[in-house]
Amino acid sequence: MNPYTASHLADHDLKYGLTAYVGKDSQTTAHLLGHIAEFDVRRLFAPEAHPSMHSYCVHVLGLSSDAANKRIRVARKAREFPVIFIAVAEGRLHLSGAAMLASYLTAENVDELLAAAARK
């Protein structure tokens, strides 16, 4: 049996699984962002002969250039404003939304903008 098909699941199991996987995805994304942020600040890409975090993400982690850019941008901003990690982990803020907001967030408006962007 293919582990990625769900045609064998009862409706309530499918619904539960879908909800659970979305939650896990949000938490995994937040953890990934935390690891990218710390790896970046420690410059651990340099001993691996990569000139940048972007290069490491693309050539070692296999991310597309766009996916790497988005995650690095959000990870750096989340390091500055850790509430972003929490919002992503809880599913209140998705990665694309966080990336769109990143350049606008300041200490004065971070809470207000994250609240306005929640679940959108």
Side-chain angles (χ1 to χ4, degrees):
M1 177 169 59
N2 183 335
Y4 304 108
T5 62
S7 58
H8 65 285
L9 296 175
D11 291 354
H12 68 279
D13 292 334
L14 182 60
K15 182 179 176 183
Y16 173 79
L18 181 60
T19 302
Y21 283 123
V22 168
K24 287 179 185 178
D25 184 56
S26 296
Q27 292 172 2
T28 299
T29 298
H31 284 290
L32 174 62
L33 293 173
H35 278 68
I36 288 172
E38 191 61 29
F39 200 91
D40 185 35
V41 79
R42 293 185 193 186
R43 300 185 53 79
L44 293 177
F45 53 82
E48 301 290 325
H50 289 277
S52 66
M53 189 67 207
H54 180 270
S55 174
Y56 187 86
C57 285
V58 170
H59 299 290
V60 176
L61 301 180
L63 298 177
S64 70
S65 182
D66 288 342
N69 285 335
K70 186 181 294 186
R71 283 157 182 79
I72 293 166
R73 183 175 339 118
V74 174
R76 287 176 177 165
K77 192 53 77 165
R79 188 167 170 80
E80 184 178 354
F81 301 115
V83 68
I84 295 170
F85 292 126
I86 296 165
V88 170
E90 292 176 350
R92 290 183 285 119
L93 184 65
H94 55 78
L95 186 62
S96 293
M100 286 185 213
L101 286 176
S103 61
Y104 300 102
L105 295 175
T106 65
E108 292 78 29
N109 70 14
V110 65
D111 293 328
E112 179 184 350
L113 288 180
L114 291 182
R119 308 239 180 250
K120 293 185 179 161

